[in-house]
Amino acid sequence: MDHNEEIDVPPFFICPISLQIMKDPVTVSTGITYDRETPVTKKQVLKLIDDASNSSAHHLVKNLEKLKSIAYGSSANKRCLETTPGVAEFLVRLIVVSESDEDNKHCTYNSVSDEALRILSHLQISDEMVLKKVLKENEGLLVDSLVRIMQKNSYESRANAAGLMKQLVQVAEPTQLVAFSREHFVEVVEMIKDDVSPKATKAALKVLALACPWGRNRIRVVEAGAVPVMIELLLLCNERRNIEMVLAVLDQLSGCAEGRAELLGHAAGLAVVSKKILRVSHFATERGIKILYAISKYSGSPSVVQEMVQLGVVTKLCLVLQVDCEAKTKEKAREILKMHAKAWKNSPCAPAHVFGFD
């Protein structure tokens, strides 16, 4: 055979990343085969992104599959994608465009947002500057897109959307957090209610805790049905971090009249908050006492004050004064007892000396 004659190599022998003949082929879960030995370069990644940005929907999906194969191929390739400028921005752009393109809702293009989000979640972009940039460039559109994904059937996509939203909320400016609507919070609360995954629940709780303090978000979160969902979670949950997060959210929500009314309107509201005091952590105790303080000060009607005796809340407050916990927490408990000393002083569960304040 003539050595100058070109050999036509079948495409399945060519690595889709390096475009060279494979020496050590490996097939990943996506079905794509690539050469285990060719670490990807930033130049190759940028070319792939450039090609994908200027291609049809069909080729875009193909290029996205290549990007996914790179991301899942090796830790070196994953790091390369994480550190190549423009990768996160490109994936976010795909999420926004594919979720807002009504003309493409029923074709292959619709799966692009799920794939782009899956890759982005796998990469775990932690650079705050990158996250701030994608949020600033896409602001409301990105949050809207994530909320739309949260409404889908796929638990994986919903969990990924919650995870990315948590990351964005952690770096967002107050003005960006104020832009959240009741509808946004409805989907975040629904994630917790549906028990999509432990990771998704943590992410959703974090979103609520960080967004609540700004603007009218407390009321929006209450209107989204958060309070009964938080109480139900407290009743079922034994995981310390989740209990702390739920109490942090309820602490925020008890800062508005609507939140306090919802908490008092739930048969188990006061009882379960009281139950978690002194049984989980110093943080949980502090938040629980703050919730009871808000209820006592702003919603302490005669019936509520009486209910606090019947549910053992007064006993728990007295116990806080006697055990080892933060000084400011003890002070808050003491203030609550002083507030309603007249109504509680004859209670058999409250020792007489507790109400001997000046």
Side-chain angles (χ1 to χ4, degrees):
M1 186 178 72
D2 187 349
H3 288 289
N4 294 323
E5 187 181 331
E6 284 192 14
I7 300 170
D8 190 16
V9 179
F12 50 81
F13 286 122
I14 303 292
C15 174
I17 298 169
S18 67
L19 303 180
Q20 303 297 315
I21 297 174
M22 290 185 281
K23 297 173 185 172
D24 184 14
V26 60
T27 303
V28 291
S29 58
T30 58
I32 291 180
T33 302
Y34 69 99
D35 196 348
R36 193 196 304 270
E37 288 183 2
T38 322
V40 74
T41 65
K42 289 187 179 183
K43 188 177 178 181
Q44 288 169 330
V45 171
L46 291 171
K47 185 181 185 309
L48 189 60
I49 288 174
D50 189 51
D51 289 347
S53 301
N54 300 296
S55 62
S56 65
H58 176 71
H59 283 99
L60 174 61
V61 172
K62 289 288 182 189
N63 282 333
L64 204 53
E65 285 176 358
K66 287 182 184 178
L67 204 61
K68 185 179 176 183
S69 292
I70 295 170
Y72 285 85
S74 69
S75 54
N77 285 351
K78 181 172 176 276
R79 276 195 301 275
C80 179
L81 287 183
E82 287 169 344
T83 56
T84 300
V87 172
E89 292 89 332
F90 167 70
L91 292 168
V92 164
R93 201 157 56 245
L94 289 184
I95 293 166
V96 170
V97 170
S98 58
E99 281 301 320
S100 58
D101 194 337
E102 293 299 329
D103 296 331
N104 288 297
K105 281 297 174 193
H106 301 294
C107 74
T108 319
Y109 199 51
N110 189 35
S111 65
V112 166
S113 62
D114 289 343
E115 282 300 316
L117 184 56
R118 185 178 286 120
I119 296 167
L120 197 56
S121 299
H122 178 67
L123 293 181
Q124 298 171 323
I125 304 293
S126 57
D127 189 322
E128 279 196 19
M129 296 308 293
V130 171
L131 291 168
K132 282 183 177 180
K133 186 182 175 189
V134 298
L135 185 58
K136 190 176 181 182
E137 287 178 353
N138 302 278
E139 239 174 84
L141 290 173
L142 178 52
V143 174
D144 286 345
S145 297
L146 293 176
V147 166
R148 270 194 283 274
I149 292 168
M150 285 181 187
Q151 294 168 336
K152 294 183 178 181
N153 292 327
S154 164
Y155 270 26
E156 185 196 0
S157 291
R158 293 177 73 192
N160 288 340
L164 180 55
M165 189 178 278
K166 180 201 78 171
Q167 284 186 288
L168 296 174
V169 167
Q170 285 175 317
V171 300
E173 301 293 331
T175 49
Q176 292 168 324
L177 292 174
V178 167
F180 274 65
S181 68
R182 183 177 67 86
E183 287 68 30
H184 291 146
F185 292 125
V186 165
E187 294 309 323
V188 176
V189 170
E190 201 63 32
M191 292 279 293
I192 300 168
K193 198 174 175 181
D194 289 353
D195 194 18
V196 170
S197 75
K199 194 175 176 183
T201 295
K202 279 188 171 64
L205 286 171
K206 190 80 171 178
V207 169
L208 296 180
L210 293 174
C212 270
W214 305 105
R216 290 177 59 79
N217 282 354
R218 279 193 186 100
I219 295 171
R220 290 174 188 144
V221 172
V222 172
E223 289 174 345
V227 176
V229 173
M230 295 298 107
I231 293 168
E232 295 298 326
L233 193 54
L234 272 188
L235 286 167
L236 298 169
C237 183
N238 293 312
E239 209 267 305
R240 181 184 65 84
R241 188 67 188 123
N242 275 7
I243 293 170
E244 290 176 343
M245 290 291 288
V246 170
L247 288 170
V249 173
L250 285 176
D251 175 24
Q252 291 288 343
L253 299 183
S254 62
C256 68
E258 294 83 352
R260 293 191 296 274
E262 285 280 313
L263 193 144
L264 291 170
H266 194 293
L270 274 178
V272 75
V273 169
S274 174
K275 186 180 179 183
K276 297 301 176 186
I277 292 171
L278 300 178
R279 296 180 74 169
V280 181
S281 65
H282 283 307
F283 180 89
T285 295
E286 180 202 348
R287 295 296 169 145
I289 292 292
K290 281 182 73 181
I291 294 164
L292 295 180
Y293 181 84
I295 294 287
S296 300
K297 187 169 184 180
Y298 303 108
S299 304
S301 66
S303 61
V304 168
V305 170
Q306 194 54 42
E307 189 184 0
M308 289 173 88
V309 174
Q310 292 165 352
L311 294 173
V313 175
V314 179
T315 306
K316 185 60 72 88
L317 289 169
C318 293
L319 193 56
V320 167
L321 299 182
Q322 299 167 39
V323 300
D324 177 33
C325 63
E326 303 290 325
K328 60 182 178 180
T329 303
K330 280 181 186 274
E331 186 53 39
K332 273 272 191 293
R334 191 174 283 111
E335 284 180 43
I336 298 170
L337 289 165
K338 284 177 76 171
M339 234 181 272
H340 300 293
K342 196 174 179 181
W344 291 337
K345 65 181 179 182
N346 296 322
S347 168
C349 61
H353 72 272
V354 167
F355 299 105
F357 303 118
D358 297 331

